Amino acid sequence: MKKSLFAAAALMVLAAGTVAAQESELPDKIIALSFDDGPSNVTADILDILKAENVKATFFVVGSWARSATHPDYKDKADAEPFDYTPSMLRAFSEGHAIANHTWDHPYMTRLTAGQMTQEIELNSDFIESVIGQRPTFFRPPYINVNGLLHETVGLTFINGINCSDWEPSVDAPTRSQRILDQAKDGDIILMHDMMDNVQTVQAIRLLIPELKARGFELVTVPELFKRKGVTPEPHNGIVYSNALQTR
């Protein structure tokens, strides 16, 4: 009888050890925060919050929007105040954030020829390299407007993401934050906007980041997310990733 009790206890200890080992081998709970349409007049505010929270993000930049001389809404206005937000972009890179490609002019890419698609990507990659000294490997199509020709033409990893409609002024900061929290899961990419005067998104991430941390998420860059999940996306694979573990 004593031997039977001892054997049962040993099995319980072994089983508990197996469960603990399995739990320790579970994948990390990781999520990537990303911003489109910068650099802008709110980039520095976003960077201040990221620095205070000690988290990294990814900025999908639009090259022609970085300076008043090339911005389509400003370059022809004689009375417009000149601006150059490339220092914020360089700051982001120097502080460990990733810089990615969101095209040179933010067009609907499916309306372009293959040559025009290539020009949009290469102009912006050249611009990014001129600022940070490194060419991007990730690409978010404007409006997530894609087709087969775009996948065939652009040899970068296509990124989408979970979003909160933060381009809509009517969506307030708490709602933006809550919409992301309602969707967030391991491996996700969060899509928000670093666009001109988008102060509500600045306010939203003040709410969002601490709550994501409280729920056990680690916030990393998009390249780091793929690395940590053990995924090496192949160019021209036809996938537009909202989660690093997507297979189609």
Side-chain angles (χ1 to χ4, degrees):
M1 183 67 176
K2 288 183 179 179
K3 286 184 179 179
S4 298
L5 289 172
F6 178 79
L11 286 171
M12 289 176 66
V13 170
L14 180 61
T18 302
V19 170
Q22 289 173 343
E23 288 178 349
S24 69
E25 292 166 6
L26 289 174
D28 296 330
K29 196 173 179 183
I30 311 171
I31 202 162
L33 181 60
S34 69
F35 300 93
D36 285 3
D37 297 353
S40 76
N41 60 351
V42 298
T43 308
D45 294 329
I46 292 171
L47 290 172
D48 288 345
I49 296 169
L50 297 177
K51 187 173 184 178
E53 292 287 351
N54 193 30
V55 301
K56 305 304 178 189
T58 302
F59 292 83
F60 288 83
V61 304
V62 180
S64 73
W65 294 1
R67 300 183 177 102
S68 54
T70 52
H71 195 296
D73 293 338
Y74 290 84
K75 63 184 179 181
D76 297 325
K77 294 182 179 179
D79 59 344
E81 289 292 325
F83 60 80
D84 179 359
Y85 297 124
T86 55
S88 289
M89 185 173 149
L90 182 58
R91 175 190 165 190
F93 181 71
S94 68
E95 292 181 358
H97 307 290
I99 308 297
N101 196 319
H102 196 40
T103 72
W104 175 251
D105 253 339
H106 205 272
Y108 284 92
M109 294 292 278
T110 62
R111 298 176 183 176
L112 306 182
T113 65
Q116 291 169 327
M117 290 173 179
T118 298
Q119 184 178 40
E120 278 288 332
I121 299 301
E122 291 304 310
L123 274 174
N124 205 36
S125 289
D126 289 347
F127 162 70
I128 291 168
E129 186 174 26
S130 74
V131 176
I132 67 170
Q134 188 176 102
R135 293 184 82 77
T137 56
F138 289 84
F139 163 60
R140 181 172 282 138
Y143 315 106
I144 317 301
N145 176 235
V146 300
N147 61 9
L149 180 61
L150 188 64
H151 279 290
E152 292 170 13
T153 303
V154 178
L156 303 176
T157 300
F158 286 46
I159 301 295
N160 187 4
I162 62 172
N163 73 76
C164 57
S165 300
D166 73 326
W167 58 87
E168 294 284 356
S170 60
V171 181
D172 64 17
T175 302
R176 296 177 190 203
S177 174
Q178 191 59 51
R179 285 182 178 179
I180 295 298
L181 292 169
D182 288 345
Q183 302 174 71
K185 62 184 181 299
D186 180 48
D188 274 347
I189 299 161
I190 299 169
L191 191 169
M192 301 185 85
H193 288 79
D194 168 27
M195 60 191 190
M196 295 285 278
D197 301 322
N198 195 14
V199 294
Q200 294 221 68
T201 282
V202 176
Q203 295 165 2
I205 64 171
R206 292 185 193 277
L207 303 171
L208 176 64
I209 294 174
E211 184 58 30
L212 285 171
K213 287 181 174 181
R215 296 185 182 193
F217 285 100
E218 179 183 358
L219 287 86
V220 300
T221 65
V222 170
E224 181 68 11
L225 178 67
F226 280 88
K227 181 180 178 182
R228 294 274 293 275
K229 291 302 176 187
V231 177
T232 304
E234 296 294 331
H236 312 292
N237 65 6
I239 302 174
V240 186
Y241 292 91
S242 289
N243 186 291
L245 301 176
Q246 263 179 256
T247 56
R248 61 178 181 177

